[in-house]
Short mmCIF file of all heavy atoms in Angstrom, two decimals:
data_model
loop_
_atom_site.label_atom_id
_atom_site.label_comp_id
_atom_site.label_asym_id
_atom_site.label_seq_id
_atom_site.Cartn_x
_atom_site.Cartn_y
_atom_site.Cartn_z
N LEU A 16 99.23 135.57 99.68
CA LEU A 16 99.42 137.07 99.90
C LEU A 16 100.87 137.18 100.49
O LEU A 16 101.66 137.99 100.06
CB LEU A 16 98.39 137.56 100.91
CG LEU A 16 96.99 137.83 100.32
CD1 LEU A 16 96.07 138.15 101.53
CD2 LEU A 16 97.01 139.01 99.40
N ALA A 21 106.53 138.63 99.69
CA ALA A 21 107.88 138.23 99.96
C ALA A 21 108.67 138.24 98.61
O ALA A 21 109.90 138.73 98.50
CB ALA A 21 108.09 136.88 100.64
N ALA A 22 108.09 137.73 97.55
CA ALA A 22 108.68 137.71 96.16
C ALA A 22 108.94 139.06 95.69
O ALA A 22 110.00 139.41 95.18
CB ALA A 22 107.82 136.84 95.26
N LYS A 43 88.10 135.46 105.12
CA LYS A 43 86.99 136.38 104.96
C LYS A 43 85.70 136.02 105.81
O LYS A 43 85.02 136.89 106.17
CB LYS A 43 86.68 136.50 103.41
CG LYS A 43 87.64 137.05 102.59
CD LYS A 43 87.13 137.51 101.12
CE LYS A 43 86.74 136.22 100.38
NZ LYS A 43 87.77 135.30 99.98
N SER A 60 90.57 138.91 114.32
CA SER A 60 89.64 138.08 113.56
C SER A 60 90.29 137.71 112.16
O SER A 60 91.37 138.31 111.84
CB SER A 60 88.41 138.93 113.39
OG SER A 60 88.57 139.99 112.42
N ALA A 79 97.09 141.64 90.57
CA ALA A 79 96.26 140.57 90.96
C ALA A 79 95.26 140.35 89.93
O ALA A 79 94.52 141.31 89.43
CB ALA A 79 95.60 140.62 92.41
N LYS A 125 79.99 112.18 101.29
CA LYS A 125 80.26 111.10 100.29
C LYS A 125 81.56 110.51 100.57
O LYS A 125 81.78 109.25 100.36
CB LYS A 125 80.25 111.68 98.87
CG LYS A 125 78.82 111.96 98.36
CD LYS A 125 78.81 112.46 96.94
CE LYS A 125 77.46 112.89 96.54
NZ LYS A 125 77.48 113.32 95.02
N ARG A 133 69.07 111.23 100.92
CA ARG A 133 69.85 112.43 100.56
C ARG A 133 69.03 113.57 100.80
O ARG A 133 68.71 114.41 99.94
CB ARG A 133 70.33 112.38 99.07
CG ARG A 133 71.21 111.16 98.72
CD ARG A 133 71.69 111.18 97.33
NE ARG A 133 72.54 112.24 97.19
CZ ARG A 133 73.06 112.58 95.88
NH1 ARG A 133 72.61 111.74 94.86
NH2 ARG A 133 73.83 113.64 95.64
N GLY A 136 70.16 119.79 104.46
CA GLY A 136 70.51 119.82 105.87
C GLY A 136 71.87 119.26 106.23
O GLY A 136 72.18 119.24 107.32
N PHE A 138 75.74 119.74 105.82
CA PHE A 138 76.64 120.74 105.42
C PHE A 138 78.16 120.38 105.98
O PHE A 138 78.19 119.78 106.90
CB PHE A 138 76.34 122.20 106.04
CG PHE A 138 74.98 122.58 105.86
CD1 PHE A 138 73.92 122.39 106.78
CD2 PHE A 138 74.50 123.28 104.69
CE1 PHE A 138 72.71 122.84 106.63
CE2 PHE A 138 73.24 123.64 104.51
CZ PHE A 138 72.31 123.48 105.48
N HIS A 145 80.01 129.84 106.20
CA HIS A 145 79.69 130.68 105.08
C HIS A 145 78.25 131.27 105.12
O HIS A 145 78.01 132.53 104.96
CB HIS A 145 79.96 130.15 103.74
CG HIS A 145 79.64 131.01 102.57
ND1 HIS A 145 80.67 131.87 101.96
CD2 HIS A 145 78.64 131.13 101.79
CE1 HIS A 145 80.08 132.45 101.02
NE2 HIS A 145 78.91 132.01 100.79
N LEU A 211 83.38 111.14 122.35
CA LEU A 211 84.48 110.48 121.71
C LEU A 211 84.28 108.95 121.42
O LEU A 211 83.42 108.30 122.13
CB LEU A 211 85.75 110.59 122.64
CG LEU A 211 86.23 111.99 123.00
CD1 LEU A 211 87.44 111.97 123.87
CD2 LEU A 211 86.60 112.75 121.76
N THR A 214 80.40 107.79 116.23
CA THR A 214 80.35 108.38 114.83
C THR A 214 78.91 108.30 114.42
O THR A 214 77.96 107.63 115.06
CB THR A 214 81.18 107.71 113.92
OG1 THR A 214 81.26 108.41 112.65
CG2 THR A 214 80.74 106.29 113.69
N ILE A 245 69.18 106.69 117.81
CA ILE A 245 68.70 107.71 116.88
C ILE A 245 68.73 109.06 117.58
O ILE A 245 68.12 109.18 118.81
CB ILE A 245 67.27 107.41 116.43
CG1 ILE A 245 67.27 106.00 115.81
CG2 ILE A 245 66.80 108.43 115.43
CD1 ILE A 245 68.27 105.80 114.58
N ASN A 301 97.69 123.21 108.26
CA ASN A 301 98.21 123.89 109.37
C ASN A 301 97.08 124.16 110.43
O ASN A 301 95.91 124.41 110.00
CB ASN A 301 98.80 125.23 109.04
CG ASN A 301 100.14 125.12 108.18
OD1 ASN A 301 101.19 125.29 108.59
ND2 ASN A 301 99.86 124.73 106.85
N GLN A 365 103.37 112.21 126.45
CA GLN A 365 103.77 113.10 127.55
C GLN A 365 105.26 112.94 127.76
O GLN A 365 105.94 111.91 127.57
CB GLN A 365 103.08 112.63 128.83
CG GLN A 365 101.61 112.48 128.79
CD GLN A 365 101.03 113.87 128.83
OE1 GLN A 365 101.60 114.90 129.27
NE2 GLN A 365 99.68 114.09 128.44
N GLN A 406 125.53 110.72 101.09
CA GLN A 406 125.40 109.38 101.75
C GLN A 406 124.81 109.49 103.17
O GLN A 406 124.62 108.42 103.78
CB GLN A 406 126.75 108.64 101.75
CG GLN A 406 127.17 108.26 100.28
CD GLN A 406 127.63 109.33 99.45
OE1 GLN A 406 128.38 110.24 99.83
NE2 GLN A 406 127.16 109.27 98.15
#
Side-chain angles (χ1 to χ4, degrees):
L16 288 168
K43 296 192 296 292
S60 68
K125 291 182 179 179
R133 299 183 64 182
F138 308 96
H145 179 86
L211 299 175
T214 192
I245 304 299
N301 294 254
Q365 305 285 342
Q406 289 72 44

